[in-house]
């Protein structure tokens, strides 16, 4: 069985650092690489969704196309075609999605970025990382924007 790395990719700058960390691991050792982008649930549904009873977790084609572009562009920005990458796009709660997909793919390592110190994103990410770590049966690596493991 091939070991797997799951990288949580967001639109934030720190996700590039997470991708770089994953690339450095993949260059040294053989891992299957999964890039995960979670489209968070919208708190409120619009009138059409309410009228049709559509699930708030349902993703529309724009959501999916935007997420596919994000994952492709981030990976291509690293100029790292040496590793086969599987993209995963899902909707819902970020914490639950990371844990679910890590278990589903039997991930050995989960890598996620941490926001900059100047933003509240860092505090939110730290809390998210703590909750994810409690639920994972594998290693969690959190990197800051400079690529330092935190």
């Amino acid at each position: 069985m091939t070991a797997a790395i799951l990288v949580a990719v967001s639109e934030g700058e720190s996700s590039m650092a997470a991708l770089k960390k994953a690339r450095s691991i993949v260059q040294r050792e053989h891992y299957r690489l999964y890039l995960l982008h979670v489209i968070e649930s919208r708190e409120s549904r619009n009138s059409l969704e309410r009228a049709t009873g559509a699930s708030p977790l349902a993703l529309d084609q724009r959501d999916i196309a935007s997420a596919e572009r994000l994952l492709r562009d981030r990976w291509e920005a690293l100029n790292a075609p040496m590793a086969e990458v599987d993209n995963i796009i899902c909707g819902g709660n970020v914490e639950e999605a990371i844990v679910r997909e890590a278990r589903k793919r039997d991930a050995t390592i989960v890598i996620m970025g941490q926001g900059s110190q100047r933003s509240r994103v860092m505090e939110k990410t730290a809390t998210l990382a703590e909750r994810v770590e409690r639920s994972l049966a594998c290693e969690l690596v959190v990197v800051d924007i400079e690529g330092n493991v935190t």
Side-chain angles (χ1 to χ4, degrees):
M1 178 188 302
T2 302
I5 296 175
L6 177 74
V7 183
V9 179
S10 69
E11 294 178 11
E13 296 174 37
S14 62
S15 71
M16 281 304 292
L19 286 169
K20 288 176 184 176
K21 183 68 173 176
R23 180 187 63 186
S24 72
I25 295 170
V26 169
Q27 287 174 333
R28 292 188 317 266
E29 302 174 39
H30 183 71
Y31 281 88
R32 181 139 190 115
L33 190 56
Y34 297 96
L35 306 184
L36 169 66
H37 180 72
V38 181
I39 301 169
E40 293 187 75
S41 313
R42 290 176 225 134
E43 290 295 320
S44 58
R45 299 191 288 178
N46 66 32
S47 57
L48 178 61
E49 290 172 323
R50 284 193 300 274
T52 62
S55 167
L57 298 179
L59 303 178
D60 65 25
Q61 291 303 314
R62 288 177 307 221
D63 291 333
I64 295 169
S66 176
E68 287 172 344
R69 269 192 312 278
L70 173 72
L71 293 174
R72 182 188 64 241
D73 292 350
R74 290 285 167 111
W75 189 243
E76 288 177 359
L78 291 178
N79 194 20
M82 82 301 169
E84 183 178 331
V85 177
D86 291 308
N87 293 334
I88 306 165
I89 299 168
C90 62
N93 176 280
V94 174
E95 173 187 343
E96 293 170 1
I98 292 171
V99 172
R100 179 184 64 243
E101 296 301 330
R103 288 178 180 162
K104 188 174 179 180
R105 277 36 182 208
D106 200 22
T108 310
I109 303 171
V110 172
I111 303 175
M112 55 191 291
Q114 181 178 36
S116 70
Q117 293 183 351
R118 294 181 305 270
S119 72
R120 293 197 45 138
V121 174
M122 183 175 183
E123 184 178 310
K124 181 180 174 184
T125 305
T127 304
L128 172 65
E130 290 168 1
R131 292 191 317 261
V132 168
E133 187 171 39
R134 283 193 292 262
S135 301
L136 286 175
C138 65
E139 179 182 1
L140 174 64
V141 176
V142 180
V143 296
D144 64 17
I145 290 176
E146 289 81 32
N148 301 309
V149 176
T150 60

